[in-house]
C-alpha cells in the first residue's frame, strides 16, 4: 500500500509515493535522491540524519515521511547558496571540523539549529548540545571550535 | 616553495563536497535495475545448520532469488582467505579453517551469514527473510579466551584442537630467563585489553554488478584498499580474472582498520549479480555492523618486568592470549604477533624480551586490525607495567622512563624483538608533555581537588609505533602473503595541471589535500591545479591502500619518486629548448632555468612541449610527461611520543572526569599541521574511549552480544571529552624521501595506558579493568573507603 506524500524540501514543493512505513530519511535519500542526509545507526543515537523540519533540527530516521507531510524541510543540500558556503559550513572547513565527512551533514544541521538559538556559545554548551551527534573521526575538538565560530559568524551576519 | 606546499595548514580540497552533501558514499550510489540484498544471520553463537527452507520466502512479493552457502559451494566459490601465515613455536603452520562467505554446515558466531535474499526493495528482502525456516541444532558456545583452551570446552573446528590457531613466540627465552635470575626487583601485572567495535560512522555497503556484454564484474564497496579486495576476491574466492574485475571504493566514511578486510558480503553481491545478471546492493545497518564488522583488541596478558636496583630494565616476559573470534579475518593473524610483540621494547633499552602469544578461536565476531592494530596492545602492556614498576620502586615515573629510554645517540637502534628504530628523541617529547601538562604543578591541583572532595590522578605513557608498513621482503619472510609497497602515477597534462593516481585510499585522512600539497611544493603549482585520484582499480596502478599510518610514508614516497622522474625528464626537455647542457638546468618554484642566467622555461611550457614535441629531442626522449613509481619501504617508520592524562574522580559516583589530556608526538616531517592535529584528536578520542567508555561484552554462556547497539556500546560523545593539548616534535625519518613517519594511530596507542595510569594513580591501586566505568571505579573505591572508616 503506497500513497503520495508532499512537502517542501529545500524550497521546492515535492511529492513522492511511498509506503506508510517509509522514514523521512528514506524519503529524502531514496525517493528524492538527496543523499547528503546519512544513516549511521538504527537506534536514533548518532545524528548523521539530522535535517530541519519547520526550522528545527530533527532526526530524520526517527520520523515517518507521512508525519512530515505538508512541512518544510531543509537538508544539507539546501544550506549553501550555490558555491557560497553557509557560515556554519565555512566554519567547519576553516576549523577542520570534518574528516571522513559522514557525520558532517548531521553535525552542521544540528549546529545551525543551536546557533539560531544563541550565537555566543561556550565550549560546554556546544558539547552538551552535541549529545545526540556521534563523530568517530575528529574527537569533537575541532567540531566544537567550528560551531563556536560558525555561530558567531551567523550572529554577526544577522546583526 | 609555494604557500600551499609542505608544512602549510592548507584547508581541505575535499571539504566542499562533504559540507554540501555531495559526497558519494557507496550507499549513495544506485545502479540501473538494481536489486537489494538482505542477509539472514545466525541468532545463535554456535549451531549445526541442518537445513534451510526457503519455499515460503521465495514466493514473497518482489523476491528475485535466495541463495545459501550450498549454492555458493556448488559454484566453486572459495573461502575468505587470511593474508598472513604464522608459524607456531614448533614450526607448524597456524590452523586455518575454512571461512565460507555463507555458512555451510555450521554457524560459529551470532551474525554468521546463513542466506542472502535478493528482492526489488530492501524491505521486501527483509520481509522475505522472516519467512525462511532454518533448522538449527544449538551447540554450546565459548567466547572467552581463558575458557576456550580448557579441556572439555566447545570446539569450533575439528582442525583446530583446543581452539588453538597458533602458539607463537618471539625473542630470546634463555637471555630473558637469565635477566630475571639476576633481577633486583620484578614487577608483575595482569592485563585485559578490552574488545572494541571500530564503528566507522558509515556502515559497510557493497554493490555488485555484471556486464554481460564485456564480461566485466564491478564491485562498489566501502574499502580502504580496493586492489587488495580485487586480488583476494578475484583470485581466492570467486576465481575471476583480474582484468575482468573492477573494484571501486568511492568516498568512504571512516575505516580505522575495519574496512581493510575482505568481507563475505563483497563476494556475495559480486557473485549474485553475475548469477542473476542484475546489480545487487547490500548496506549494513548499525546492528548488523556490530555483529559483522571485524572487532579489535581482545587480549588477556600476564607480563613481568625485571629490573636492577636503579630501575634499569633487564628483561621483559609477556604471555598473551589473543582472541581471533570465529574465523580468521584477512590480517587477523599478524596483529597479535608481528604488529604486537615486536613493539614490546617500547621506547626502552630492555636488552632481553621474550613474548609468547596463543591465538584462540571463540564463538565471537572475528577480530582484526583496529586503529593501531597490535601497537596499542603492546603499549598498554609496556606502559602499564613501567608505571607500576615506578610505583613499586618509589621512582618518579618520568624519571624511571628517562633512565631506560633509548639514548639520543644510539640510532639506528636494534631492539631484541626484530625492529630497528631509525630516529627519535624520547627525552624531548617527554619534556614537552611534562611542561605542557604542568606535571610539576600536579600536587597543588590534587590538594585543591581534595578540598572539593574529588580525587585527582596523573598518568603518562610514552609510546613507539611501527608505521609505514612495510619492506615487502621482510614481511614476506615473516609470513605475509602480500607485498606492501605503494604506487603513484603523476600525469602532467599538456597545459601543466596534474592528476595523481595513487594506491593510497582516503577515508577521512585528507589525501586529496596533503598529496596535492606535495605536488604543489615540488612542481611550484597551487593545490587547485592538482587532482588526486584514488579508489578505483580501473584508474589507479596496482596499489595496496591505506592502513597502519602508511599513506604518506609509503604512498607519499612513491609520489615523490614519480615527481622526481617528471622533474628530471623536464630538465632534459628544458636543456633542449634552452640550448644548454642538462647539468646546468635548475628547477625551482615551477621554473627551469639555466644556472647563472635569466634564461628560463616554465613548467607549463615544458609540459606543452612534451605533448607537442615539435622542437624536441625526439631521438633520445619519448614524448609525454607521465611517470609511475612503485616505492617499497626500506624499513618501518617509528613515530613516538608521550601522552599525559589527568583525571578527577568523584568518589561518591565513581565518575572519572578527564580534566586534561596532553599529547606530544614525533611524526617526522609534517605536511599539513592542521590535518595532523585532527588525526591526533581522533585517535585520542578512540584511545580514551577504550579506557573510559567502550567495551564489547558477550554473554559468557550463550555467546550473545550484549553491547550490540549505541544504546549499550558507549561511544565517546562530545561531552565525554575535553579539549586536547597537542604538540609535535620533529625528528626526521632517515630512510624515506619526505622524512615522514605517520600520525594516524598515535592517539589510540598512547591514550589508554595514560588514562589508566592516571586513574590507578588517583586511587592508589594497581589493577583496574578497561573501560573504567563509574561502576568499576566506585567498586574499586568502596572497599578502600570501608577500610578507612
Ligand atoms: S541515523 Fe538517525 S540517529 Fe542515527
Ligand atoms: S568526520 Fe567521520 S564521523 Fe565525523
Amino acid at each position: 500500500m503506497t500513497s503520495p506524500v508532499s512537502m517542501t524540501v529545500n524550497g521546492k514543493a515535492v511529492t513522492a509515493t511511498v509506503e506508510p512505513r517509509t522514514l523521512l530519511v528514506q524519503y529524502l535519500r531514496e525517493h528524492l535522491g538527496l543523499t547528503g542526509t546519512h544513516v549511521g545507526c538504527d537506534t536514533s543515537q548518532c545524528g548523521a540524519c539530522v535535517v530541519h523540519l519547520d526550522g528545527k533540527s530533527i532526526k530524520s530516521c526517527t520520523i515517518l515521511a507521512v508525519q512530515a507531510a505538508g512541512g518544510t524541510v531543509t537538508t544539507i543540500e539546501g544550506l549553501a547558496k550555490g558555491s557560497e558556503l553557509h557560515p556554519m559550513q565555512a566554519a567547519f572547513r576553516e576549523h577542520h571540523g570534518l574528516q571522513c565527512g559522514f557525520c558532517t551533514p548531521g553535525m552542521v544541521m544540528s549546529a545551525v539549529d543551536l546557533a539560531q538559538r544563541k550565537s555566543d556559545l561556550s565550549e560546554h554548551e556546544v558539547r552538551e548540545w552535541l549529545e545526540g551527534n556521534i563523530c568517530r573521526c575528529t574527537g569533537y575538538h575541532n567540531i566544537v571550535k567550528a560551531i563556536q565560530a560558525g555561530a558567531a559568524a551567523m550572529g554577526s551576519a544577522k546583526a | 616553495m609555494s604557500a600551499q606546499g609542505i608544512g602549510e595548514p592548507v584547508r581541505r580540497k575535499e571539504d566542499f563536497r562533504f559540507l554540501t552533501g555531495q559526497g558519494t558514499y557507496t550507499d549513495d550510489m544506485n545502479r540501473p535495475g538494481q536489486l537489494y540484498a538482505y542477509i539472514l544471520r545466525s541468532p545463535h553463537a554456535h549451531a549445526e545448520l541442518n537445513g534451510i527452507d526457503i519455499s515460503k520466502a521465495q514466493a514473497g512479493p518482489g523476491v528475485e532469488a535466495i541463495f545459501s552457502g550450498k549454492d555458493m559451494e556448488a559454484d566453486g566459490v572459495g573461502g575468505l582467505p587470511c593474508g598472513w601465515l604464522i608459524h607456531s613455536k614448533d614450526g607448524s603452520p597456524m590452523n586455518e579453517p575454512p571461512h565460507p562467505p555463507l555458512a555451510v554446515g555450521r554457524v560459529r558466531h551470532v551474525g554468521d551469514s546463513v542466506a542472502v535474499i535478493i528482492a526489488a526493495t530492501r524491505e521486501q528482502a527483509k520481509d522475505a527473510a522472516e519467512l525462511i525456516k532454518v533448522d538449527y541444532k544449538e551447540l554450546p558456545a565459548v567466547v572467552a579466551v581463558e575458557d576456550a583452551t580448557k579441556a572439555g570446552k566447545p570446539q569450533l573446528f575439528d582442525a583446530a584442537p583446543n581452539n588453538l590457531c597458533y602458539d607463537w613466540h618471539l625473542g630470546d627465552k634463555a637471555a630473558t630467563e637469565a635477566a630475571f635470575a639476576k633481577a633486583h626487583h620484578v614487577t608483575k601485572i595482569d592485563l585485559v585489553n578490552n574488545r572494541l567495535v571500530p564503528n566507522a560512522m558509515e556502515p559497510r555497503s557493497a554493490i555488485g554488478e555484471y556486464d554481460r556484454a564485456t564480461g566485466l564484474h564491478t564491485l562498489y564497496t566501502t574499502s580502504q584498499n580496493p586492489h587488495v579486495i580485487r586480488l583476494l576476491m578475484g583470485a581466492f574466492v570467486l576465481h575471476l580474472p583480474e582484468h575482468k574485475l573492477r573494484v571501486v571504493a568511492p568516498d568512504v566514511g571512516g575505516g580505522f582498520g575495519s574496512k581493510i578486510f575482505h568481507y563475505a558480503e563483497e563476494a556475495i553481491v559480486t557473485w549474485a549479480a553475475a548469477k542473476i545478471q542484475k546489480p545487487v546492493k547490500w548496506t549494513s545497518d548499525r546492528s548488523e555492523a556490530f555483529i559483522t564488522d571485524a572487532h579489535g583488541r581482545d587480549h588477556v596478558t600476564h607480563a613481568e618486568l625485571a629490573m636492577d636496583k636503579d630501575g634499569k630494565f633487564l628483561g621483559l616476559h609477556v604471555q598473551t592470549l589473543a582472541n581471533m573470534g570465529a574465523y580468521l579475518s584477512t590480517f587477523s593473524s599478524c596483529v597479535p604477533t608481528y604488529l604486537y610483540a615486536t613493539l614490546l621494547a617500547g621506547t626502552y633499552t630492555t636488552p632481553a624480551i621474550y613474548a609468547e602469544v596463543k591465538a584462540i578461536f571463540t564463538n565471537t565476531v572475528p577480530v582484526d586490525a583496529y586503529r593501531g592494530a597490535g601497537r596499542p596492545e603492546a603499549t598498554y602492556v609496556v606502559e602499564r607495567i613501567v608505571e607500576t614498576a615506578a610505583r613499586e620502586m618509589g621512582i618518579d615515573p618520568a624519571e624511571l622512563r628517562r633512565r631506560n629510554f633509548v639514548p639520543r645517540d644510539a640510532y639506528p637502534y636494534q631492539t631484541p624483538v626484530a625492529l630497528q628504530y631509525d630516529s627519535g628523541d624520547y627525552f624531548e617529547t617527554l619534556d614537552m608533555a611534562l611542561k605542557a601538562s604542568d606535571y610539576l604543578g600536579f600536587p597543588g591541583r590534587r590538594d585543591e581537588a581534595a578540598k572539593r572532595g574529588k580525587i585527582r590522578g596523573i598518568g603518562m605513557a610514552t609510546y613507539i609505533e611501527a608505521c609505514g608498513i612495510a619492506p615487502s621482503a621482510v614481511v614476506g619472510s615473516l609470513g605475509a602473503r602480500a607485498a606492501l609497497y605503494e604506487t603513484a602515477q603523476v600525469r602532467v597534462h599538456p597545459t601543466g595541471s596534474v592528476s595523481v593516481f595513487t594506491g593510497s585510499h582516503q577515508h577521512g585522512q585528507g589525501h586529496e589535500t596533503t598529496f596535492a600539497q606535495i605536488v604543489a611544493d615540488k612542481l611550484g603549482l597551487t593545490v587547485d591545479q592538482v587532482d588526486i585520484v584514488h579508489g578505483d582499480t580501473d584508474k589507479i596502478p596496482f596499489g595496496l591502500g591505506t592502513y597502519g599510518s602508511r599513506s604518506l610514508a609509503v604512498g607519499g614516497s612513491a609520489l615523490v619518486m614519480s615527481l622526481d622522474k617528471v622533474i628530471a625528464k623536464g630538465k632534459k626537455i628544458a636543456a633542449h629548448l634552452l640550448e644548454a647542457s642538462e647539468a646546468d638546468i635548475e628547477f625551482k618554484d615551477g621554473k627551469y632555468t639555466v644556472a647563472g642566467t635569466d634564461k628560463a622555461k616554465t613548467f607549463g611550457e615544458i609540459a606543452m612541449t612534451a605533448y607537442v614535441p615539435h622542437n624536441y629531442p625526439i631521438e633520445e626522449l619519448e614524448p609525454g610527461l607521465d611517470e609511475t613509481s612503485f616505492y617499497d619501504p626500506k624499513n618501518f617508520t617509528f613515530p613516538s611520543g608521550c601522552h599525559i592524562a589527568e583525571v578527577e574522580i568523584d568518589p561518591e559516583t565513581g565518575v572519572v572526569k578527564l580534566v586534561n589530556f596532553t599529547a606530544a608526538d614525533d611524526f617526522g616531517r609534517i605536511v599539513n599541521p592542521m590535518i595532523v592535529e585532527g588525526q591526533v584528536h581522533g585517535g585520542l578520542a578512540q584511545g580514551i574511549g577504550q579506557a573510559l567508555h567502550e567495551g564489547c561484552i558477550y554473554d559468557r554462556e550463550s555467546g550473545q552480544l550484549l553491547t550490540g547497539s549505541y544504546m549499550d556500546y558507549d561511544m565517546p560523545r562530545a561531552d565525554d571529552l575535553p579539549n586536547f593539548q597537542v604538540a609535535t616534535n620533529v625528528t626526521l625519518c632517515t630512510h624515506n624521501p619526505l622524512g615522514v613517519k605517520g600520525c594516524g594511530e598515535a592517539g589510540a596507542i598512547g591514550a589508554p595506558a595514560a588514562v589508566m595510569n592516571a586513574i590507578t594513580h588517583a586511587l592508589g591501586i594497581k589493577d583496574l579493568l578497561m573501560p573504567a566505568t563509574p561502576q568499576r571505579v566506585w567498586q574499586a573505591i568502596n572497599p578502600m573507603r570501608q577500610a578507612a572508616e
Side-chain angles (χ1 to χ4, degrees), chain B residues 42-320:
Chain B
S42 169
H44 305 297
H46 202 186
E48 274 171 30
L49 191 54
N50 289 328
I52 303 173
D53 178 2
I54 59 170
S55 49
K56 272 216 181 107
Q58 245 169 345
V63 173
E64 171 93 9
I66 299 174
F67 300 112
S68 71
K70 290 231 165 93
D71 299 311
M72 293 189 88
E73 195 178 56
D75 255 13
V77 172
L80 304 174
C82 179
W84 201 304
L85 176 64
I86 299 294
H87 286 89
S88 284
K89 283 174 182 170
D90 63 5
S92 60
M94 68 186 186
N95 284 316
E96 230 176 323
H99 184 190
L102 288 171
V104 180
R106 199 162 345 159
V107 287
R108 292 184 175 83
H109 68 90
V110 171
D112 207 350
S113 42
V114 171
V116 57
I117 303 93
I118 299 166
T121 70
R122 200 171 297 179
E123 290 68 29
Q124 287 171 335
K126 233 174 177 170
D127 290 347
E130 292 192 5
L131 303 174
I132 295 181
K133 283 211 188 71
V134 184
D135 179 5
Y136 292 108
K137 180 172 173 259
E138 265 194 83
L139 299 169
V142 64
V143 301
V145 281
E146 306 96 308
D147 297 342
T149 47
K150 286 194 193 130
K153 287 292 174 181
Q155 302 282 303
L156 270 76
F157 301 98
D158 296 341
N162 301 321
N163 298 311
L164 187 71
C165 176
Y166 54 74
D167 179 4
W168 174 90
H169 66 162
L170 182 72
D172 189 333
K173 186 179 182 193
T176 307
E177 280 170 0
F180 277 84
K182 64 174 183 202
H184 168 80
H185 180 75
V186 174
T187 293
K188 301 178 183 180
I189 199 162
D190 287 290
L191 296 166
V192 175
N193 207 289
N194 42 331
R195 178 185 277 243
L196 303 176
V197 183
N199 272 309
M201 289 316 296
E202 179 206 20
R204 286 189 298 115
S205 178
I207 307 170
E209 190 171 17
Y210 178 67
D211 181 356
R212 212 178 345 174
T214 59
L216 182 73
H217 302 258
T218 304
L219 168 68
Y220 301 90
T221 183
T222 46
S223 175
Q224 302 177 210
N225 32 236
H227 270 115
V228 174
I229 303 306
R230 191 185 73 173
L231 180 63
L232 294 175
M233 186 174 82
F236 298 99
V237 186
L238 300 182
H239 311 296
L240 303 173
E242 281 178 291
H243 66 293
K244 291 294 185 193
L245 176 56
R246 174 183 177 205
V247 178
V248 183
D251 286 328
V252 173
F256 317 111
S258 70
K259 291 172 182 167
I260 298 171
F261 322 120
H262 177 33
Y263 285 97
E265 296 82 6
E266 295 170 323
I268 293 168
V269 297
T270 307
W271 172 80
K275 194 101 182 143
I276 62 175
Q277 310 241 331
K278 284 179 188 154
V280 176
K281 176 178 187 172
W282 168 83
T283 299
S284 171
D285 58 32
R286 182 58 57 186
S287 305
E288 208 174 357
F290 268 96
I291 52 171
T292 64
D293 291 2
H295 293 174
R297 319 284 191 252
D298 205 343
H299 284 193
V300 176
T301 295
H302 176 77
E304 302 193 0
L305 176 66
M307 284 160 287
D308 73 9
K309 63 175 181 7
D310 301 320
K312 196 89 176 133
F313 305 157
L314 303 175
L316 178 68
H317 184 194
V318 176
Q319 292 165 296
T320 294

Side-chain angles (χ1 to χ4, degrees), chain A residues 98-104 134-138 143, chain B residues 201:
Chain A
L98 65 154
Q99 290 182 25
C100 78
F102 198 79
C103 73
T104 309
I134 301 177
C135 173
R136 192 53 153 172
C137 296
T138 64
I143 289 180
Chain B
M201 289 316 296

Side-chain angles (χ1 to χ4, degrees), chain A residues 56-137:
Chain A
K56 297 242 161 50
S57 60
I58 54 145
K59 289 180 169 173
S60 64
C61 73
T62 312
I63 137 171
L64 298 167
V66 290
Q67 290 175 284
T72 300
V73 172
T74 308
T75 70
I76 191 72
E77 288 94 340
L79 216 51
K81 288 199 191 85
S83 61
E84 189 195 328
L85 293 176
H86 180 279
M88 188 59 76
Q89 292 170 314
F92 267 70
R93 181 167 196 269
E94 179 60 25
H95 294 275
H96 190 30
L98 65 154
Q99 290 182 25
C100 78
F102 198 79
C103 73
T104 309
M107 285 283 178
V108 170
M109 295 312 288
S110 186
V112 168
D113 185 5
L114 172 63
Q116 278 166 353
R117 296 163 198 240
K118 192 168 179 226
S119 56
D120 179 18
L121 294 164
S122 71
E123 180 202 335
H124 181 72
E125 286 170 314
V126 177
R127 288 186 183 274
E128 292 264 293
W129 176 265
L130 290 181
E131 174 62 27
N133 291 78
I134 301 177
C135 173
R136 192 53 153 172
C137 296

Side-chain angles (χ1 to χ4, degrees), chain B residues 516-529:
Chain B
Q517 284 179 253
I518 295 169
V519 177
D521 193 282
K522 293 268 172 194
L523 299 183
L525 303 173
T526 66
V527 293
D528 289 334
Q529 290 171 288

Side-chain angles (χ1 to χ4, degrees), chain B residues 409-527:
Chain B
D409 59 3
Y411 300 98
Y413 175 77
Q414 179 63 50
T415 74
V417 275
L419 297 177
Q420 193 185 74
Y421 303 163
D422 65 327
S423 66
D425 185 346
Y426 314 140
F427 299 89
E428 178 67 21
T429 46
L430 174 68
D431 286 344
M432 287 172 85
L434 292 174
K435 207 164 154 219
S437 66
D438 187 21
Y439 186 73
L440 294 178
F442 173 75
R445 297 193 294 279
R446 181 189 53 206
D447 295 347
E448 185 277 325
K451 283 191 198 123
R452 289 183 283 111
K454 302 285 196 301
I455 315 171
R456 273 219 179 199
I458 194 164
M460 69 180 71
T462 56
Y463 73 88
I464 178 119
E465 58 161 329
C467 296
I469 183 167
S472 294
V474 173
V475 295
S477 72
L478 301 177
R481 289 162 166 161
L484 285 161
Y485 51 79
E486 196 48 273
T487 53
Q489 179 184 10
V490 173
R491 179 176 300 164
V492 182
H493 301 292
T495 51
S497 65
V498 172
S499 295
V500 171
F501 302 85
T502 170
S504 299
H505 181 274
Q506 77 167 29
H507 32 279
Q509 296 87 343
H511 297 166
E512 288 173 30
T513 304
T514 46
F515 281 29
Q517 284 179 253
I518 295 169
V519 177
D521 193 282
K522 293 268 172 194
L523 299 183
L525 303 173
T526 66
V527 293

Side-chain angles (χ1 to χ4, degrees), chain A residues 19 21 26 29-30 35-36 38-43 45-46 76-77 80 82-83 85 89 92-94 96 98-105 108 123 127-128 130-132 134-142, chain B residues 11-12 15-16 18-21 25 27-28 123 127 197-199 201-203 252-254 256 285-287 370 507-508 674-675 678-679 681-682 685-686 694 709-711 715-719 721-724:
Chain A
E19 287 187 74
R21 63 176 165 178
Q26 291 175 299
R29 285 181 58 81
E30 294 164 20
T35 55
H38 295 154
V39 179
C41 73
D42 45 15
T43 52
Q45 299 275 310
C46 77
I76 191 72
E77 288 94 340
S83 61
L85 293 176
Q89 292 170 314
F92 267 70
R93 181 167 196 269
E94 179 60 25
H96 190 30
L98 65 154
Q99 290 182 25
C100 78
F102 198 79
C103 73
T104 309
V108 170
E123 180 202 335
R127 288 186 183 274
E128 292 264 293
L130 290 181
E131 174 62 27
I134 301 177
C135 173
R136 192 53 153 172
C137 296
T138 64
Y140 305 101
H141 181 114
N142 286 344
Chain B
R11 299 304 183 261
R12 300 200 321 171
D15 284 356
F16 185 84
F18 294 142
L19 281 165
T20 54
Y25 301 88
D27 189 56
D28 299 341
E123 290 68 29
D127 290 347
V197 183
N199 272 309
M201 289 316 296
E202 179 206 20
V252 173
F256 317 111
D285 58 32
R286 182 58 57 186
S287 305
Y370 165 60
H507 32 279
M674 175 190 81
I675 287 177
Q679 289 291 309
H681 296 160
Q686 291 179 3
E694 298 175 45
S709 81
Y710 290 154
M711 315 282 269
M715 290 281 277
R717 315 243 174 178
D719 56 357
L721 296 168
N723 275 336
F724 306 116

